[in-house]
């Protein structure tokens, strides 16, 4: 962002001091479209002065039909004759404001889009970025190539009919649970999910004993305990 402040006119005034403490900031795409930035001389009823500026518009993009219609309707109510020079000055200021207002209403403000390139970017970095991108693309291709070659080697290593049939089943039903692809300790393949789960539990949790009650289960209250509690306590005693 850039500063839009220009000149040395103070933006803050009171009975004790005058300073420039108010600043106007704008992005680069807006900064170039700002015109006539200034501190207004009009009374602001505050210690801080009004800051005024205009934004550039392209007259070639104006909607002349709408502009003429609005201006014609407004001017038709203006007086034709004036008695004093003060009346003429007053009406001229009003007419100026009306013309500017209708112009802004019918001329769309289009700001330039900010550039995506950073100001510190240069040709050397551009060249290195292209080199890194090219190496990364080659890296991805090598990974894909290695995966394909590894899969081919694996498929060629399946020499027996049972291995080939099992591979065919896996490829035909990729979403099916592969419980029958788990080899048991005996060397046989699991026939169903229950055998596969038992083998997995025995392999990864050797201390697990089927049917054994855990400590948490042992601490759970029995039915006899609940009946005893019901005889000892009731709603009246709890209150």
């Amino acid at each position: 962002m850039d500063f839009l402040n220009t000149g040395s006119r103070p933006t803050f005034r009171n009975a004790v001091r005058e300073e420039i403490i108010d600043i106007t900031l704008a992005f680069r795409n807006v900064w170039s479209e700002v015109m006539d930035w200034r501190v207004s001389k009009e009374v602001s009823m505050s210690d801080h002065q009004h800051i005024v500026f205009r934004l550039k518009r392209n007259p070639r993009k104006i909607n002349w039909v709408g502009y003429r219609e609005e201006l014609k309707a407004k001017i038709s109510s203006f007086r034709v004759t004036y008695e004093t020079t003060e009346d003429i000055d007053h009406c001229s200021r009003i007419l100026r404001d009306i013309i500017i207002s209708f112009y802004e209403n019918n001329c769309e403000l289009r700001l330039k889009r900010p550039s995506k390139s950073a100001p510190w970017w240069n040709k050397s970095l551009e060249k290195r970025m292209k080199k890194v991108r090219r190496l990364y693309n080659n890296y991805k291709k090598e990974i894909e190539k290695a995966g394909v070659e590894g899969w081919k080697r694996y498929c060629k290593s399946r020499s027996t009919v049972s291995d080939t049939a099992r591979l065919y089943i896996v490829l035909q039903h990729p979403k099916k649970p592969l419980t029958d692809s788990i080899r048991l300790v005996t060397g046989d393949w699991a026939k169903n999910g229950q055998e596969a789960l038992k083998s997995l539990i025995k392999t990864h949790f050797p201390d697990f004993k089927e049917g054994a009650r855990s400590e948490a289960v042992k601490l759970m209250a029995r039915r006899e305990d609940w009946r005893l509690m019901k005889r000892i306590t009731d709603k009246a005693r709890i209150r």
Side-chain angles (χ1 to χ4, degrees), residues 207-222:
D207 297 333
F208 176 79
K209 295 181 180 179
E210 188 175 357
R213 300 179 66 186
S214 63
E215 294 297 327
V217 175
K218 292 179 182 179
L219 295 175
M220 292 178 63
R222 297 171 298 175

Side-chain angles (χ1 to χ4, degrees), residues 8 20 40 47 120 122 128 130 144 154 161 178 192 226:
S8 58
I20 302 176
S40 177
D47 294 337
W120 43 262
N122 52 46
R128 294 186 181 185
K130 290 181 179 179
E144 294 177 0
Y154 173 78
V161 177
L178 305 180
N192 50 50
W226 288 108

Side-chain angles (χ1 to χ4, degrees), residues 95-109:
L95 181 61
R96 179 201 61 188
D97 295 339
I98 291 174
I99 292 174
I100 294 175
S101 176
F102 290 162
Y103 168 73
E104 292 177 349
N105 291 341
N106 292 276
C107 187
E108 184 180 357
L109 178 65

Side-chain angles (χ1 to χ4, degrees), residues 162-196:
S162 59
D163 290 341
T164 305
R166 191 173 302 280
L167 181 62
Y168 175 78
I169 294 173
V170 171
L171 294 176
Q172 286 293 106
H173 306 283
K175 296 183 180 180
K176 182 180 178 181
L178 305 180
T179 54
D180 57 345
S181 299
I182 296 178
R183 192 186 295 272
L184 305 177
V185 180
T186 58
D188 300 327
W189 295 96
K191 297 179 181 179
N192 50 50
Q194 187 175 3
E195 286 188 358

Side-chain angles (χ1 to χ4, degrees), residues 139-156:
Y139 165 74
K140 289 176 62 178
K141 290 179 181 178
E142 290 297 326
I143 289 179
E144 294 177 0
K145 183 179 178 181
V148 173
E149 292 178 353
W151 176 249
K152 288 181 179 179
R153 288 195 300 270
Y154 173 78
C155 293
K156 290 180 180 179

